[in-house]
Amino acid sequence: MVKKDNILKSLTFGYFIIAFFEVVSEYFAYTPFICSLKPLIPLFLVVIYLVNSTKKNPIFVIVLLLSMVVNILFIPNTSICLYYALIIFTIHRLVIIYLVFSQQKVKDYIPMLIATLPFLLIFFYLFIETNDIPENSFYLLMLQNILISVFAGIALSSYVMNDNKQNSVLLIAVLLFVMLQFSVFIEKYFLVNEFQKLLRPLAMTFNALAFFSFYKYVIIAEKSNNN
């Protein structure tokens, strides 16, 4: 009988192979591979999670499935698809914050608010400096800035207040999500049609690493909560 650890190692290796070819496809703008590999990355992570987790939290599966839908909507690179991607991504961010709150059990919100403020200032400065934001996306992007800042604030305050493995992995995951949002925002709104060959592969790299790190966090949190 094949051991669970061997299966997980094989699946993890497969995940990063798929992610590597997706990043390369983004660099060369090879659409057939992008269309097939981009949705496959979160789906593959669902399989890894279901094999590894004893709890099998449906909320985390929903997070990954929403990520798959966002990835699909980002492929065409049209304004209407980008608008719908922002709507789904907002729902995705709300669900992921709910999941973190359910795992972290935050008791003191003051450190979280203090940790959130620097991220709010950075994201809103970039937002204000951007002139070509579509009117239908204006409030969605404002909400996105607030949500990613709160997400980062939870991770940073949890790490400062209690530096354990769970909070360290969460902080790594959230910092990758922050860099992902920066790169996507810059590509879509700040440097439109510039540095596409660099920004799209970079965003996909952050995407794959962020979600894998967040998966590791969820597994560690589940084990910690069970104990």
Side-chain angles (χ1 to χ4, degrees):
M1 186 174 179
V2 181
K3 290 183 178 180
K4 180 180 173 180
D5 286 348
N6 292 334
I7 295 172
L8 283 172
K9 286 177 183 176
S10 299
L11 288 171
T12 302
F13 180 75
Y15 174 83
F16 283 105
I17 288 293
I18 292 168
F20 172 77
F21 281 110
E22 165 57 16
V23 170
V24 173
S25 301
E26 291 285 359
Y27 181 79
F28 290 106
Y30 188 62
T31 306
F33 273 15
I34 292 172
C35 291
S36 58
L37 295 178
K38 207 165 191 173
L40 191 59
I41 290 174
L43 280 179
F44 214 83
L45 199 52
V46 169
V47 175
I48 295 172
Y49 172 70
L50 293 176
V51 170
N52 195 11
S53 174
T54 54
K55 188 177 179 181
K56 295 175 175 52
N57 191 335
I59 303 298
F60 182 59
V61 176
I62 291 170
V63 165
L64 293 175
L65 293 178
L66 288 171
S67 172
M68 181 192 70
V69 175
V70 173
N71 283 352
I72 292 170
L73 289 170
F74 270 138
I75 293 171
N77 200 26
T78 61
S79 57
I80 188 66
C81 284
L82 182 57
Y83 174 69
Y84 287 124
L86 281 173
I87 294 173
I88 302 298
F89 196 61
T90 302
I91 298 168
H92 166 273
R93 191 69 80 202
L94 287 168
V95 175
I96 207 171
I97 290 173
Y98 169 79
L99 176 59
V100 171
F101 270 121
S102 69
Q103 301 290 344
Q104 290 299 105
K105 297 179 176 61
V106 178
K107 295 179 181 178
D108 187 357
Y109 289 91
I110 300 300
M112 188 195 80
L113 291 172
I114 294 171
T116 300
L117 286 174
F119 293 98
L120 276 173
L121 290 172
I122 294 167
F123 276 107
F124 273 99
Y125 172 76
L126 186 63
F127 184 78
I128 291 167
E129 288 296 311
T130 307
N131 298 318
D132 298 324
I133 295 175
E135 189 176 341
N136 63 352
S137 303
F138 187 86
Y139 293 107
L140 281 172
L141 285 169
M142 283 186 67
L143 182 56
Q144 280 293 325
N145 287 339
I146 294 169
L147 292 175
I148 189 63
S149 300
V150 170
F151 191 24
I154 298 167
L156 183 57
S157 60
S158 298
Y159 175 78
V160 171
M161 299 297 287
N162 186 13
D163 179 10
N164 57 24
K165 186 177 181 181
Q166 176 178 324
N167 292 335
S168 298
V169 175
L170 176 61
L171 183 62
I172 291 168
V174 170
L175 289 176
L176 288 165
F177 278 120
V178 167
M179 290 188 283
L180 169 63
Q181 183 140 330
F182 266 125
S183 57
V184 171
F185 184 86
I186 289 169
E187 179 211 340
K188 300 295 182 184
Y189 301 106
F190 203 75
L191 296 175
V192 182
N193 299 321
E194 296 178 42
F195 304 108
Q196 293 286 313
K197 263 198 165 184
L198 294 176
L199 289 172
R200 281 212 156 192
L202 185 65
M204 205 60 231
T205 302
F206 287 143
N207 182 284
L209 293 175
F211 277 102
F212 188 82
S213 299
F214 191 70
Y215 144 76
K216 297 294 286 185
Y217 157 76
V218 171
I219 293 294
I220 293 167
E222 287 177 357
K223 290 177 181 177
S224 176
N225 291 336
N226 285 338
N227 292 334

